[in-house]
Amino acid sequence: MAVALTAGAAAGALAACGIPDLGTGGREDGGPVPPGAKAECPKIAEPGDSKARQLRGMWIATVGNTDFPKAAADKQKKAYTRLLDTAKAMNMNAVFVQIRPNSDAFYDSPYEPWSQWITGTQGKDPGYDVLAFMLKEAHARNLEFHAWFNPYRVSRQDDVKKLPAKSPARQHPDWVRKYGKGLWYDPGLPQVRDLATKAVMDVVTKYDIDAVHFDDYFYPYPEDGDFPDGATFKTYGKGMKKADWRRKNVDTLVQSLSGRIHTAKPWVQFGISPFGVWRNKSSDPAGSRTSALQSYDDIYADTRTWIKKGWLDYVTPQLYWPIGDPRADYAELASWWAGQVKGTGVQLTIGQAGYRVGEDPTWKKPAELSRHLTLNARYPQIRGDVFFSASDIASDRRGFASRIRKDHYARPAIQPVVARRGGKAPPPVQDTTATPATADAAGGKGVKGVKGVKVTWRPSQGATSYGVYRVDGEHPGCAPADPARLIGDVRGGGIVDPAAKPGHAYTYYITALDRLHHESRPARGATVTAPEG
């Protein structure tokens, strides 16, 4: 894995990660040029959205301190950055970070109190902007940041009076319903939709996030009795059936938020990770051959409509069952979801159950999740996977994460193009150079002691990151950006390649990418011989 020179300490932990031998080859399409010369490759086509492109991510859950500790600020920061380093070591390229778990905030919100999952006390200022820190560190590692919001959940306990004075639920108890062991906003109230919209748009406008993300919590999962929204239904139902009215309430929020987000910042994606079963075929001919809880009927989330209407940029169904499960077979659901997005332009990624590894005889097999990714390759509509959760990836229980890296994530991947949001490839980079890097030359905080090859280039206007491709041997002309030769997708103007073998000659090609992953054609390569040890 290449080390980004500009990532500083954020990249230091990556230097020990080796880059696989990418072999020899590379088609020349022009003569050699001196290192540092301004040179483009006009005869080489832009790479396009190849099948090798994947989103590879993990959820970082903060509710209940699942993946984020209640601790002093310095310990929290170290714990979070360790998870990011784990993601990079796994050759992942995105994190999905929960920043509004319980009508609260991981930033200084004008609408809601500070989250209890930071300090242990809701409303207590942690002394730093947690979201700004999280975002900066993710981007330093070129990890796409999906800001994860829960739109309706208020509290895991059911006493409104225990909430801080700033809580909208405390100020407007008439918006709140007790259900199960917790508190929920009533999705049928326009004021609730307005609050959720304000919370999301506050983050979209103030922070440089890459996406807004919702998970599967809309109306609460069924417990004893029906959700107590009878009075709201009487006021706003307008002759509809209650189930249809509830779905309409959720549809309204999803549709309106999609429009608001993309009007404010067209490049910010909007995605949802629903429960893995929309409807069973026994209930609807359009459903899947399953016999499980149905998100359409039980939590009033009509994901299929959201896809068909184009309100989402991506959908990440939580397929938390093994292959062959009699109630909900992973293979059946992967095929069903691929069929739903086909031809829509909505990107499909799959939510994978890292947390289940070791649970029962099936999940004790460390290869089960690797088998899921192998099966995914049958469907061109499936463009990647997101794992729940980060702590499970870090713990590598029974070696499942190591198996995934070995079988599927051995080299980095650029994310698929977000085609529905416009954008275009930046101009190609110029002034590519490749020079031997000793420990001193590599230098700088975070890459101290790294040896190998130092590659630099002049940043391209409009580029967010840069694809770095390595070919064995001297090929100083032009070559296509072959995904099999990608060694990094980094921010800034240079990298150190610590895996370059001493005494071997290599040629490096650089491409420029915008934040929606449109990729320029590569610049002419720069050739160098890696220094002897």
Side-chain angles (χ1 to χ4, degrees):
M1 186 177 298
V3 178
L5 290 178
T6 55
L14 309 181
C17 300
I19 305 172
D21 187 356
L22 301 182
T24 60
R27 179 172 62 85
E28 291 192 25
D29 192 27
V33 295
K38 296 179 180 179
E40 298 180 3
C41 293
K43 296 181 181 180
I44 298 291
E46 291 179 359
D49 193 18
S50 76
K51 292 181 180 179
R53 288 188 172 214
Q54 294 180 320
L55 183 141
R56 302 171 179 173
M58 64 186 190
W59 280 287
I60 298 180
T62 58
V63 67
N65 297 115
T66 302
D67 299 315
F68 188 81
K70 179 181 65 178
D74 60 338
K75 291 184 178 179
Q76 284 181 336
K77 291 178 179 181
K78 288 178 182 177
Y80 174 74
T81 55
R82 278 197 299 269
L83 291 177
L84 299 186
D85 289 340
T86 296
K88 288 304 292 184
M90 281 287 294
N91 280 330
M92 290 179 167
N93 51 31
V95 288
F96 296 68
V97 185
Q98 193 174 32
I99 64 164
R100 190 202 189 225
N102 292 110
S103 188
D104 52 13
F106 271 62
Y107 54 95
D108 189 10
S109 169
Y111 306 111
E112 296 175 307
W114 283 100
S115 176
Q116 74 181 88
W117 308 116
I118 306 173
T119 63
T121 303
Q122 193 173 61
K124 184 177 180 180
D125 189 335
Y128 73 109
D129 187 332
V130 185
L131 174 55
F133 171 78
M134 288 175 158
L135 185 58
K136 177 183 177 182
E137 292 296 324
H139 281 171
R141 294 159 175 79
N142 199 31
L143 292 166
E144 195 168 70
F145 191 96
H146 294 237
W148 171 12
F149 298 79
N150 291 93
Y152 302 124
R153 190 169 60 200
V154 175
S155 175
R156 286 181 153 191
Q157 57 83 36
D158 63 1
D159 186 354
V160 173
K161 294 179 181 178
K162 290 182 179 180
L163 301 175
K166 185 181 177 180
S167 170
R170 178 77 179 272
Q171 296 170 349
H172 303 280
D174 53 313
W175 297 0
V176 180
R177 308 289 176 256
K178 293 182 181 181
Y179 189 67
K181 297 179 180 179
L183 298 173
W184 298 79
Y185 286 123
D186 187 338
L189 292 171
Q191 304 95 309
V192 166
R193 293 194 292 272
D194 183 59
L195 174 64
T197 300
K198 286 179 178 178
V200 169
M201 295 309 301
D202 186 44
V203 172
V204 169
T205 55
K206 290 180 181 177
Y207 294 90
D208 190 28
I209 62 172
D210 300 293
V212 169
H213 181 76
F214 284 177
D215 61 3
D216 54 320
Y217 284 97
F218 293 99
Y219 277 83
Y221 280 87
E223 297 191 45
D224 293 335
D226 192 28
F227 185 73
D229 59 353
T232 311
F233 175 57
K234 185 176 181 179
T235 301
Y236 296 102
K238 297 181 179 179
M240 298 179 69
K241 294 180 179 179
K242 181 179 277 190
D244 292 336
W245 170 74
R246 285 175 173 172
R247 279 186 288 273
K248 183 176 181 293
N249 294 332
V250 180
D251 288 351
T252 299
L253 178 65
V254 171
Q255 181 183 15
S256 62
L257 257 181
S258 178
R260 292 283 300 273
I261 292 165
H262 296 131
T263 297
K265 291 183 177 179
W267 60 89
V268 174
Q269 302 170 61
F270 181 37
I272 290 177
S273 176
F275 181 75
V277 174
W278 172 72
R279 297 193 92 185
N280 300 314
K281 190 172 284 290
S282 58
S283 300
D284 191 319
S288 53
R289 292 190 301 271
T290 50
S291 55
L293 180 142
Q294 304 172 109
S295 64
Y296 179 93
D297 301 272
D298 296 309
I299 54 177
Y300 308 98
D302 188 5
T303 317
R304 188 169 180 266
T305 290
W306 307 340
I307 292 170
K308 303 304 181 186
K309 295 285 189 180
W311 298 339
L312 305 180
D313 296 304
Y314 67 84
V315 61
T316 309
Q318 297 172 23
L319 304 193
Y320 292 168
W321 300 274
I323 295 172
D325 189 291
R327 301 157 303 163
D329 182 357
Y330 179 90
E332 158 67 15
L333 286 166
S335 173
W336 188 87
W337 283 99
Q340 304 314 304
V341 303
K342 188 175 183 179
T344 66
V346 176
Q347 188 182 112
L348 171 63
T349 51
I350 305 297
Q352 301 286 356
Y355 76 96
R356 295 200 65 185
V357 173
E359 263 187 7
D360 57 36
T362 298
W363 287 107
K364 285 180 180 177
K365 300 172 183 176
E368 177 62 27
L369 288 178
S370 179
R371 292 175 65 215
H372 292 195
L373 273 61
T374 298
L375 186 148
N376 289 355
R378 300 178 190 174
Y379 303 100
Q381 295 83 13
I382 298 179
R383 304 308 304 270
D385 300 88
V386 186
F387 293 82
F388 189 87
S389 68
S391 294
D392 298 291
I393 291 289
S395 68
D396 194 18
R397 196 164 47 255
R398 305 182 77 86
F400 86 93
S402 296
R403 182 67 178 263
I404 288 166
R405 191 187 192 284
K406 176 179 178 290
D407 293 349
H408 303 282
Y409 293 178
R411 52 176 63 97
I414 291 171
Q415 291 195 36
V417 172
V418 186
R420 299 174 67 248
R421 293 291 149 227
K424 63 180 181 178
V429 304
Q430 295 186 339
D431 297 346
T432 302
T433 64
T435 56
T438 64
D440 292 338
K445 186 177 180 182
V447 291
K448 185 177 180 180
V450 176
K451 297 181 181 179
V453 171
K454 180 180 180 180
V455 187
T456 62
W457 54 88
R458 182 148 59 90
S460 174
Q461 184 176 5
T464 298
S465 68
Y466 300 89
V468 182
Y469 298 83
R470 186 186 71 189
V471 176
D472 277 10
E474 297 185 9
H475 302 275
C478 292
D482 181 353
R485 307 188 190 285
L486 180 72
I487 65 168
D489 180 16
V490 302
R491 300 196 178 204
I495 59 118
V496 171
D497 176 4
K501 296 178 181 179
H504 285 235
Y506 298 99
T507 303
Y508 294 84
Y509 299 91
I510 312 299
T511 62
L513 295 107
D514 75 353
R515 68 185 307 152
L516 295 176
H517 317 301
H518 299 91
E519 188 174 16
S520 76
R521 60 182 179 270
R524 286 180 180 267
T527 298
V528 67
T529 298
E532 299 289 348

